Structure formats: C-alpha cells, structure tokens
C-alpha cells in the first residue's frame, strides 16, 4: 500500500497501515487482473478494495493449499481459526492477524453488512467437503457465498448513483461472472485438487462426466464431448456478464472506469480460452499483455474524464450564484390621467 493511498483514505495508525499493506501484497500477487483495474480507483478507495480481496485471497489460499503436509483436517482447523478471528475483529478492533484487522476496519468505515463475510466463510468451508455440483442451481448456491457476496461487499466502497438495493443484483452477478470465468480457465488445475465446478448435468448433456475429464487431462488429449460442454459453459458465463452489465452505469462515475476495465479484462479471459481451443484441461489461457495494456489505457482516459467532470461539478457547487437584478421601479402615477372603466 502506498503512503499516498493510505493518507488519502485517512488511515494513520501504523498497525493498520501495515495491515492494509499486507492486503495489497496479496492482491498484487494473486489477483493480477483485478489489481490492474484497482489502480483506476480513486486513491482513497484502494485500501478498502485491497482489504476485501486480500481477505478473500487469504481464506482461499487456506482451502487451496497444495502443501502435501496440509490435509483437509488441518485446512478445516485453520479456517475455523480464521472465522473466530473474523468474528472477534468485526465486533471490536483487536487481534494480531493483519488481513483481519484491515478487513474489519474497512467493514466499519463503509458499514458493510457482516452477513456477507459469514456467507463467504461458509462457502470456503464447503470447499473442504464438496467436490462437484449436480446442477447449475447447486453451483449458484455455492457461488452466492464465494463470489456474489464479494460484489456486494464492494458496492459501498464504489458508491452508487441509484439506491444501493437497485445496484445489488448486478454487483452480485458481476462477482459470479468473474468466478465462472475462473472456473472455465482453471478446469485442469481444479481437477488436480479433486474439484469439478462444471455442473454434472451440463457435462452429461454432452455425454461427458468427471471421469472423462480426468482421462483427457491424464492423456493430454481433447474430446469433442468435453469441448461441447466447455462451449456451453462459456455461453452460460457470458449470459451472466450480460446480467451484470447494467450495474456499471449505476456506480459512482469515478468508480466506473475500474469496474468497466475489470469487466473487459475478465471477459477477455473467455476470449483467450476460445482462441486456445478450449484447452483448459491442459493449460491456462492467458490474456496477451498488449490487450491488458490497451484496456488499462482506455480506463485511464475514462478515469481522467470522470475526475474532470467531478471537479467541474464541485467547482460549480462552490461558486455562489449572483442574485438576479432587481426590476426597475415603476414610474409614478400621473394624477391628471383619466381612469378607464370596464364596461360590463
């Protein structure tokens, strides 16, 4: 976390500053796409976004650790400890876990509903025991806690030009769209962790199943049935992006360039998957650096325009409006002028 960002956010306590800095490190290391987009937010909002994503990344790392010395029992113990620290931190500023300190401070500053954090932890715990999803409806239930609530947590930080409840469904949809994109990109890696996020009924509709996915990954080959399922999953994901799209215009104008950039960059992952022949069982699709740079540059232009409009409106609001000139006084009446009478 840069000193300028922390100063802009009014975060002066040295312990809290260090905690926010730790969250920024996690976001930069693990969430490169969104970290790039976050650079387009006003400096005073960036620490809060890093706190929210840093905590999510911290919990996710506990669940997804590939350390052979860590089994599900130990993961469950660590998640329970994190949950306890979270509950304590949300009740009162305390504890020695930097990520929780920053998250709790952000929750207080922006009055974020604590339910969103608890729903997130419930989803993380389910990852220890649930390894596949029979239907898309089952997957959506999981994603409420693992993805939709991230969008809902972000909304108070980003600000809206409409009542928050109007923007909430779109914010939740964007969180889900981002996670569906990750699921498609990471099919092979998730399979290595023992998880399949492609719904079983979607796979079955194309004659595929978990076992076929495993055989294709082990043999390093493609299968037309798997390809058909992946294409359908991509189409489903794009439909969720469409559900999320109207929400961008509902945000505070200075927040829109960030979210629009993230929207485009994550959508570009879907393009990269298709361009790579849906080879997600064998390698991770990557958005070209020139594409990322071009989208970020466009975001900077939009941000500059939004900030200029904001400054102009602020200046106009501060400029006193001169009173309207008084009307000239009426000439004195002529006492010798005859008075006309209306004729009934």
């Amino acid at each position: 976390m840069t000193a300028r960002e922390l100063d802009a956010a009014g975060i002066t306590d040295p312990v809290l500053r260090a905690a926010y800095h730790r969250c920024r490190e996690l976001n930069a290391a693990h969430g490169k796409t969104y970290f790039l987009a976050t650079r387009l937010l006003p400096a005073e909002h960036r620490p809060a976004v890093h706190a929210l994503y840093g905590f999510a990344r911290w919990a996710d790392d506990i669940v997804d650790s590939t350390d052979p010395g860590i089994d599900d029992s130990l993961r469950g113990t660590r998640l329970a400890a994190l949950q306890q620290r979270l509950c304590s931190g949300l009740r009162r500023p305390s504890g020695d876990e930097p990520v929780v300190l920053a998250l709790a401070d952000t929750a207080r500053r922006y009055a974020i509903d604590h339910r969103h954090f608890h729903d997130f932890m419930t989803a993380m715990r389910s990852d220890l025991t649930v390894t596949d999803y029979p239907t898309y409806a089952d997957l959506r239930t999981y994603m409420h806690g693992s993805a939709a609530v991230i969008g809902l947590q972000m909304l108070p930080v980003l600000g809206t030009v409409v009542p928050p409840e109007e923007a909430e469904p779109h914010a939740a949809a964007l969180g889900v769209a981002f996670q569906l994109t990750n699921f498609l990109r990471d099919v092979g890696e998730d399979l290595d962790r023992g998880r399949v996020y492609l719904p079983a009924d979607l796979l079955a509709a194309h004659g595929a199943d978990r076992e076929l996915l495993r055989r294709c990954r082990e043999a390093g080959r493609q299968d037309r049935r798997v390809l058909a399922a992946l294409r359908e999953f991509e189409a489903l994901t794009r439909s969720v992006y469409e559900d999320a799209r109207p929400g961008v215009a509902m945000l505070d104008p200075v927040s829109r360039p960030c979210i629009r950039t993230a929207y485009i960059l994550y959508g570009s992952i879907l393009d990269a998957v298709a361009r790579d022949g849906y080879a997600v069982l064998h390698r991770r699709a990557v958005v070209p650096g020139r594409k990322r740079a071009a989208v970020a540059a466009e975001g900077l232009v939009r941000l500059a325009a939004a900030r200029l409009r904001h400054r102009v409106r602020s200046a106009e609001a501060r400029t006193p409006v001169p009173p309207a000139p008084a009307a000239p006084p009426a000439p004195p009446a002529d006492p010798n002028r005859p008075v006309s009478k209306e004729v009934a």
Side-chain angles (χ1 to χ4, degrees):
M1 191 68 57
T2 66
R4 184 176 73 86
E5 291 169 346
L6 293 167
D7 292 343
I11 300 167
T12 57
D13 180 83
V15 175
L16 267 180
R17 288 171 76 93
Y20 276 102
H21 183 74
R22 174 58 179 148
C23 291
R24 187 182 189 274
E25 289 179 336
L26 287 169
N27 198 6
H30 297 286
K32 291 181 173 60
T33 296
Y34 199 77
F35 180 78
L36 176 62
T38 301
R39 301 295 300 161
L40 301 177
L41 279 175
E44 62 269 23
H45 294 331
R46 293 177 204 161
V49 175
H50 291 315
L52 295 174
Y53 274 81
F55 178 82
R57 188 71 256 176
W58 186 258
D60 199 52
D61 282 350
I62 292 175
V63 173
D64 287 342
S65 173
T66 57
D67 187 332
I70 301 177
D71 59 14
D72 284 346
S73 176
L74 182 54
R75 290 187 184 93
T77 299
R78 291 182 175 181
L79 274 180
L82 180 59
Q83 175 87 54
Q84 184 175 13
R85 292 189 182 113
L86 172 66
C87 292
S88 298
L90 291 174
R91 284 196 300 268
R92 61 186 181 280
S94 62
D96 56 0
E97 175 51 62
V99 177
V100 174
L101 284 175
L103 178 80
D105 184 67
T106 292
R108 282 188 289 273
R109 287 172 183 266
Y110 291 94
I112 300 173
D113 192 334
H114 293 181
R115 177 184 55 187
H116 299 325
F117 303 115
H118 297 305
D119 287 350
F120 173 76
M121 291 302 295
T122 297
M124 292 300 97
R125 287 195 301 273
S126 76
D127 264 333
L128 299 180
T129 56
V130 179
T131 61
D132 51 34
Y133 296 86
T135 68
Y136 181 58
D138 295 316
L139 183 63
R140 284 299 295 250
T141 298
Y142 163 75
M143 287 191 297
H144 165 75
S146 64
V149 297
I150 303 296
L152 296 174
Q153 292 168 21
M154 285 281 293
L155 205 54
V157 178
L158 299 172
T160 62
V161 294
V162 299
E165 58 271 16
E166 185 177 340
E168 284 174 355
H170 304 291
L174 190 58
V176 170
F178 288 170
Q179 185 163 64
L180 287 171
T181 301
N182 289 340
F183 287 162
L184 181 60
R185 181 195 62 191
D186 299 338
V187 171
E189 295 175 18
D190 288 331
L191 192 60
D192 290 344
R193 298 186 182 102
R195 301 194 198 112
V196 176
Y197 291 105
L198 304 178
D201 62 346
L202 184 151
L203 289 170
H206 299 281
D209 58 15
R210 183 191 189 107
E211 179 59 23
L212 180 59
L213 295 178
R214 187 189 62 78
R215 292 201 307 269
C216 288
R217 179 155 177 82
E218 291 177 352
R221 64 178 177 83
Q222 297 277 47
D223 185 286
R224 60 176 179 77
R225 294 165 292 181
V226 172
L227 291 176
L230 294 174
R231 289 191 186 97
E232 182 179 342
F233 194 79
E234 178 202 1
L236 184 153
T237 302
R238 291 189 186 277
S239 72
V240 180
Y241 275 99
E242 288 304 308
D243 292 340
R245 183 194 293 271
V248 178
M250 297 178 182
L251 299 175
D252 187 307
V254 296
S255 296
R256 291 174 197 166
C258 166
I259 301 306
R260 184 179 184 276
T261 297
Y263 183 102
I264 295 172
L265 287 176
Y266 268 92
S268 297
I269 294 174
L270 297 178
D271 298 335
V273 167
R275 189 170 53 248
D276 196 33
Y278 301 92
V280 291
L281 276 168
H282 315 298
R283 55 184 175 268
R284 172 180 282 206
V286 177
V287 177
R290 62 183 179 277
K291 169 71 173 179
R292 292 162 57 87
V295 174
E298 181 185 353
L300 285 171
V301 172
R302 290 176 177 272
L303 175 62
R307 287 178 173 173
L308 177 61
R309 289 192 295 269
H310 177 72
R311 285 196 295 268
V312 169
R313 285 195 298 268
S314 297
E316 290 175 345
R318 291 193 300 269
T319 303
V321 179
D334 183 353
N336 298 318
R337 182 180 179 181
V339 178
S340 61
K341 296 181 179 180
E342 292 185 0
V343 178

